[in-house]
Each structure stands twice: as structure tokens, then as C-alpha cells.
Amino acid sequence: MTSRNWGGQLMNSMAGSWGGLVNQMGYQLNIKDDQVNIWMTDDRLKEYLQFLNKLYTEGLMDRGIFTQEESIFVGNMTAGKVGIFWNQTTDAFNDVKEHYIGMSPIVGPHGDQLHPSSPIARDFGTFAITSANEYPQETMRWIDHFFSEEGSIFFRYGVEGETFEYDEEGNPQYLGSVSGEKIGQFTPWPGGGSPQLVTEKNASAINPPEAQEAQGKLDPYLPEAVYGAPIFDEDTTKEVEQLRQDIDMYYQESTAKFITGDLSFEKWEEYVATLENMGLDRLEEIYQEAYDLNYK
């Protein structure tokens, strides 16, 4: 099993199978009966970390998760060198995608089966023309081209016959020689929020049938509601940043050590006490106030 990174993707990948370990309001917290709970000190987290430690100890987890570059993760995925991993689409491993299928969340030790989900703001269509631009009209025509069918396909797929071809249903598909990181050599896609037209036709490479089928296996297990990150006022923002600077660093360092075995679970109570001394209760109070103000 591998992951793009351990701090975010690995920790979130199966956390929902251990109860309410989901990321609400853009942080490690859940909400039940209008009460905010930062779960960094919960016993369910301890159980989850013990499970990940078991995988790590038994050699079932990629040892490179904690240090590997993005290119290493993509390379292993592209070459099919991994058994289980998380990626939102198949474009990065087209050559071996027939060896993989999507799966539902695993059932946890207490019967929980939830897929953690956090809202991601997508900014497709956003752009600006600065006052230093001497050709605003020409720039607008250039931008406008990417909102046409021809321009949107060129934006994502490049040149027909060189980087893509149309399949029997008329949908563009990358050529076999174009996959993974190579896509970035001729197009800013995948990724980014560049202004562009998004349709079912020009999104087929990153949203193919197998990706849609995999998503269908997750849909029944999504949280009933997902709350976005709050926007604090200036003073509260400074306080949150100050609290989180120490709390987040200690949490990330400690959870990594629990997983690798460098920190014994006999030190769990000491870990909990340290977070509490760093102001975890105050941070939870701030998020509770934000929830009461915005969502209650």
C-alpha cells in the first residue's frame, strides 16, 4: 500500500472506518449534535494508528511514504508497482489500469464504513488581465478560445495524431506514449484552475468510465454533510495560526512516529497531555464558535 503522502492522504484514506475521524471545517475534527470535536486525542485515532503501525511493521506499507517525492509516487503508480493506492483518476497509470479496480471503504473494527471527504474549492474560469497587459483584446480572444470545443480539447489533449486520438465514440484519448507526467509537457492539465470549458467529452481522459464506476462505490459512504473551512476575523486568524503552528507540527511528527514504531503507544497519554498543554481545548473552542456562527 502506498500513498501520495502520509500526513494528508494516508491519514485520511481509511480514517472513516474508525468512526468519526473525518475532516470537517478543513481540520481534523468532526461534528455531532452541533458539537465540534477535534479528534487528535481520541482513542479511535489511537486504534487507527495501531492498525497503520501493523501494516508498516508487517511490510505491507510503502516505507517511502514519509519521505518520497511526488515523482516517485507517480512513477510507482504508473509502473503498477503498488497494490493499493489512492488517486482520483486513471490518467497517471493508463498502461496498467486494467490491473486495478475501485473499492468501497473498508469496514472498521467497530463496523464503521465511511469515506472521509473534504470540500475542495475549484476555480475553473478564473483569470485576470493586469494593467501591464498591452493587448487586453487579444488576450480575451486567446482566453475565449479555450471555452470553445476545439480550444478546450487542445488545452487538455494537445494535437490530434501527436498526443491524442479520438475513440470510436468520438471522445479524445491520450496516445499510449502520453501518460502520467508526460501530459504536463504539452498542457497545464491535469491540475490547475486555468479558464477552460469543461464537458463530459473533453474530460473523458481524467474521468473515464472506470473512474466513474469507482466513484459509485464511494457514494453510499460519503458523510451526510460536509462543512467548509471558516473565514476568521484578523485577530482570530492570528490566534488560530499561532495555536496550529505548534499543534499541527507535533501531531504530524507524533503520528508518523506511532506508525513507524519510533514512538511507543505506551506514550499515548503523554502525547495527549502535550497536545492539551499546547491549547487544543482553546482551538476546539474557536472552531465551535465558528460553527455556531456559520452553521447552527
Side-chain angles (χ1 to χ4, degrees):
M1 182 181 75
T2 192
S3 164
R4 176 165 272 103
N5 56 67
W6 72 268
Q9 193 176 63
L10 174 63
M11 290 298 296
N12 295 336
S13 61
M14 298 179 289
S17 298
W18 272 260
L21 305 185
V22 296
N23 285 354
Q24 295 284 19
M25 301 178 73
Y27 201 54
Q28 287 89 354
L29 61 85
N30 56 31
I31 300 167
K32 184 177 181 181
D33 298 328
D34 290 329
Q35 293 299 308
V36 168
N37 171 50
I38 297 178
W39 45 257
M40 291 180 176
T41 57
D42 283 12
D43 287 339
R44 289 291 183 92
L45 173 62
K46 179 182 179 182
E47 291 181 8
Y48 180 42
L49 291 172
Q50 288 174 325
F51 172 73
L52 293 177
N53 169 255
K54 178 179 173 67
L55 296 182
Y56 187 88
T57 302
E58 295 182 0
L60 298 175
M61 182 189 299
D62 180 4
R63 297 299 178 95
I65 284 179
F66 300 94
T67 58
Q68 68 187 1
E69 299 286 338
E70 169 76 5
S71 59
I72 301 298
F73 167 76
V74 173
N76 288 334
M77 181 171 53
T78 301
K81 294 182 178 180
V82 293
I84 299 175
F85 60 94
W86 289 265
N87 201 58
Q88 70 182 47
T89 185
T90 61
D91 62 295
F93 57 99
N94 269 332
D95 294 342
V96 295
K97 65 181 181 181
E98 68 273 11
H99 299 300
Y100 296 95
I101 60 172
M103 59 182 286
S104 302
I106 63 174
V107 179
H110 305 284
D112 300 298
Q113 191 176 13
L114 185 68
H115 178 65
S117 178
S118 299
I120 300 176
R122 309 297 277 183
D123 55 352
F124 295 125
T126 302
F127 67 94
I129 299 177
T130 74
S131 59
N133 189 324
E134 298 180 1
Y135 306 99
Q137 292 84 2
E138 289 80 357
T139 301
M140 273 306 306
R141 291 199 296 270
W142 180 74
I143 291 290
D144 195 47
H145 177 62
F146 297 125
F147 284 89
S148 67
E149 181 173 344
E150 177 187 0
S152 66
I153 291 177
F154 172 66
F155 180 89
R156 292 184 172 215
Y157 294 90
V159 180
E160 183 180 2
E162 294 183 15
T163 56
F164 81 95
E165 59 186 6
Y166 289 97
D167 62 18
E168 295 179 355
E169 298 179 355
N171 294 318
Q173 300 292 336
Y174 294 118
L175 295 177
S177 59
V178 177
S179 62
E181 293 183 317
K182 294 181 181 179
I183 297 173
Q185 296 176 7
F186 64 89
T187 173
W189 186 262
S194 306
Q196 57 181 291
L197 175 68
V198 182
T199 68
E200 291 184 3
K201 182 175 182 179
N202 65 26
S204 60
I206 59 141
N207 191 31
E210 55 267 23
Q212 297 177 39
E213 180 182 353
Q215 178 60 44
K217 295 181 180 180
L218 298 179
D219 288 340
Y221 306 101
L222 295 174
E224 292 183 5
V226 179
Y227 300 93
I231 299 176
F232 300 111
D233 59 45
E234 184 176 357
D235 291 338
T236 307
T237 297
K238 291 180 180 179
E239 184 178 5
V240 169
E241 288 178 349
Q242 185 175 7
L243 288 168
R244 285 188 52 175
Q245 182 175 359
D246 293 333
I247 289 174
D248 291 355
M249 181 177 296
Y250 180 71
Y251 164 76
Q252 292 172 8
E253 290 178 349
S254 298
T255 50
K257 290 179 180 179
F258 279 128
I259 293 172
T260 61
D262 291 334
L263 184 61
S264 169
F265 285 98
E266 294 181 358
K267 299 288 187 179
W268 180 259
E269 296 304 323
E270 181 179 321
Y271 157 79
V272 171
T274 301
L275 281 176
E276 291 175 346
N277 290 335
M278 288 180 171
L280 192 66
D281 289 343
R282 172 55 186 157
L283 186 60
E284 186 174 271
E285 180 182 353
I286 293 174
Y287 275 98
Q288 181 68 60
E289 293 171 353
Y291 173 82
D292 293 341
L293 177 64
N294 294 288
Y295 298 114
K296 195 171 180 180

